Amino acid sequence: MRIGNSNIFLFSALAVAISSSPGLAQSDEKPGLFASADISIVHDDNIYRVTDDLAQSDTFLRLAPELSALGGIGKHRFQLSYTGDYAKFSDASEADYADHDLRGRIDLEHSLRFSSRFEAGYQKDHEDPGSINRLQLDMTEYNKYDQNFLLAGIAYGSEQAIGRLAFNYRRTDKDYTTNDLDYLDFVSDQLTGRFTYRIAPNTRVYAEAIISELNYTPRTTFELDNTYKRYRAGITWDFTGKLTGDVNVGYQDRDYELDTLRDIDGLAYDGEITWSVNTFTKVVGAVKRESIDSSIEETGGFLRTSYGINLKHELTERLKITADAGYSKDELVFTASREDKRHAYQFGLDYELMRNIKLTANYTYEERDSTLSIADYQANSIGIGVIVSLDD
């Protein structure tokens, strides 16, 4: 079941972002073409995630297509993918959006020990108003932005080697196109280095450093430019496919160029554990602690700690249920008068009508409980849909 954009921020800890992985691993997918389309009707009683007195409900038609092509020459792999997300609202036409995510990736294996990776992508997306700390109580249109990135990486040592060293460089350019948010436009240069060492056939430890330079569009008396450094050590394991995980802990430091902004440093962690209870049931748990730049004018960053759990269970060969629960806490270090706590729950059903056709239904509840009362909100959404998929 697809988790909608409005719910991604709490449940994203349950997914591993391709763009953040420095491993340069070849894809395990088989070469070929894949296509799917998720068509659904959703009713949401608070589309802009604002306080109850200002909440606006609406029903919208959503179409989310996916296309991907994977090929290769020898041990080299090439991948091109497109993901779309379009919504047409019944009443609030200004809330309509058309999101696009297009990216290509090349994995080259030059020898038994040396490999490289190149990736580029373009996104036209909208921002979940419940995921940011900026309050836009009079919002009539989602915050929308264009983003593109380029990535290049090299690795010494194969995936099966005892030791492996990998480096990635990524450049990201993000530009907001609505609601006068130009001050949040930035260009980011990120360098990642990772050393992995195998201590058992299916267990590896690693040390990683991630350094990001973020350059924001300056204002007359304010700039948000900062350097974000993360140093962490972790372990990955796979116990016969029953229990797998990737857990790390370390130190983070976000250093702002402007002296009036408070720097953020301290403990950071990130982890995901998957437990395949049996053939029919799988449980995934995830935690994360990170610092994020604030979207409020002329303020620095904040600490977000997130926890999530996902359950998938097959009631029958055709009928499956999913349940998600998420919690996060935002500590706004630039003010002691505000702390945000978020809760989200989702329950869904998937029924496989035919091999390539799946019927879906889901219900989602979100809540933000803040020490600043006008930041509180509650939202309920319910949707039904059909997913059609094709592959060769």
Side-chain angles (χ1 to χ4, degrees):
M1 177 178 300
R2 184 190 309 275
I3 295 175
N5 185 285
S6 62
N7 316 120
I8 287 177
F9 83 97
L10 276 181
F11 302 130
S12 61
L14 301 176
V16 178
I18 296 175
S19 60
S20 66
S21 174
L24 303 175
Q26 300 283 4
S27 174
D28 292 331
E29 298 179 55
K30 295 181 180 179
L33 300 174
F34 172 80
S36 72
D38 182 349
I39 306 169
S40 57
I41 297 176
V42 181
H43 179 77
D44 193 314
D45 66 4
N46 190 354
I47 61 175
Y48 293 124
R49 304 301 186 252
V50 293
T51 184
D52 292 347
D53 294 339
L54 302 174
Q56 182 176 353
S57 64
D58 208 342
T59 300
F60 60 93
L61 177 67
R62 180 169 178 259
L63 171 63
E66 290 186 15
L67 300 168
S68 66
L70 179 66
I73 300 175
K75 294 184 178 180
H76 306 315
R77 291 291 179 267
F78 312 92
Q79 186 172 10
L80 183 66
S81 65
Y82 169 78
T83 302
D85 192 357
Y86 318 121
K88 180 65 177 176
F89 286 76
S90 176
D91 298 322
S93 59
E94 290 182 339
D96 296 350
Y97 59 82
D99 297 342
H100 311 280
D101 188 327
L102 177 65
R103 62 183 65 199
R105 173 171 169 171
I106 302 174
D107 290 283
L108 303 175
E109 190 167 331
H110 306 285
S111 68
L112 292 176
R113 296 182 179 179
F114 181 65
S115 62
S116 61
R117 167 186 167 192
F118 302 91
E119 189 173 356
Y122 168 76
Q123 289 175 279
K124 182 180 180 64
D125 208 345
H126 76 283
E127 194 170 57
D128 165 25
S131 69
I132 60 176
N133 56 6
R134 174 183 171 85
L135 302 182
Q136 295 170 274
L137 302 181
D138 57 350
M139 176 182 282
T140 59
E141 182 179 13
Y142 289 115
N143 299 334
K144 298 177 181 178
Y145 61 87
D146 294 333
Q147 180 171 286
N148 58 71
F149 75 91
L150 294 171
L151 182 147
I154 58 173
Y156 182 77
S158 68
E159 287 289 336
Q160 294 75 32
I162 294 178
R164 192 167 192 265
L165 185 63
F167 294 96
N168 274 358
Y169 167 74
R170 177 183 172 119
R171 184 176 180 86
T172 304
D173 188 347
K174 185 174 185 178
D175 296 299
Y176 282 85
T177 57
T178 59
N179 295 331
D180 298 322
L181 298 175
D182 294 345
Y183 66 94
L184 293 177
D185 296 348
F186 70 81
V187 175
S188 170
D189 294 289
Q190 178 176 286
L191 181 64
T192 302
R194 174 171 172 145
F195 175 70
T196 305
Y197 187 79
R198 187 181 65 194
I199 59 175
N202 294 311
T203 304
R204 291 174 169 81
V205 294
Y206 61 87
E208 185 174 55
I210 306 172
I211 301 175
S212 303
E213 294 281 349
L214 294 103
N215 297 294
Y216 284 84
T217 299
R219 307 193 81 174
T220 304
T221 60
F222 177 80
E223 60 180 3
L224 196 56
D225 295 1
N226 65 87
T227 301
Y228 185 31
K229 300 177 182 178
R230 286 161 286 173
Y231 307 99
R232 56 197 191 185
I235 182 171
T236 65
W237 70 89
D238 183 349
F239 297 151
T240 65
K242 285 288 187 180
L243 187 66
T244 63
D246 185 339
V247 177
N248 63 69
V249 63
Y251 175 81
Q252 63 178 331
D253 179 17
R254 191 178 290 273
D255 184 10
Y256 289 97
E257 291 189 8
L258 201 63
D259 293 336
T260 55
L261 296 181
R262 181 178 173 182
D263 298 336
I264 302 174
D265 57 31
L267 179 68
Y269 49 80
D270 189 357
E272 179 182 288
I273 297 176
T274 301
W275 178 30
S276 297
V277 182
N278 50 46
T279 307
F280 311 104
T281 307
K282 178 182 290 187
V283 180
V284 181
V287 299
K288 190 170 189 176
R289 188 174 194 261
E290 61 182 337
S291 70
I292 301 173
D293 286 328
S294 172
S295 57
I296 302 174
E297 296 94 327
E298 301 191 4
T299 58
F302 62 93
L303 278 171
R304 172 171 291 170
T305 306
S306 303
Y307 305 90
I309 188 167
N310 166 265
L311 168 68
K312 294 182 179 180
H313 178 68
E314 296 184 15
L315 292 175
T316 69
E317 186 177 349
R318 292 181 178 270
L319 183 61
K320 302 176 179 63
I321 64 170
T322 61
D324 298 275
Y327 167 81
S328 73
K329 181 173 73 171
D330 293 351
E331 302 172 71
L332 282 65
V333 299
F334 51 84
T335 174
S337 61
R338 180 179 169 188
E339 182 180 88
D340 297 345
K341 296 180 180 179
R342 293 180 172 87
H343 304 264
Y345 308 95
Q346 181 168 272
F347 177 79
L349 293 171
D350 287 357
Y351 180 74
E352 189 174 323
L353 186 64
M354 300 172 61
R355 188 179 70 87
N356 294 327
I357 300 178
K358 184 186 298 183
L359 305 179
T360 67
N362 65 79
Y363 165 76
T364 301
Y365 172 80
E366 291 183 50
E367 176 185 2
R368 177 166 64 193
D369 181 14
S370 176
T371 52
L372 180 65
S373 59
I374 60 173
D376 292 346
Y377 77 80
Q378 295 179 342
N380 298 269
S381 66
I382 185 168
I384 56 173
V386 57
I387 300 175
V388 180
S389 61
L390 300 171
D391 55 65
D392 62 0

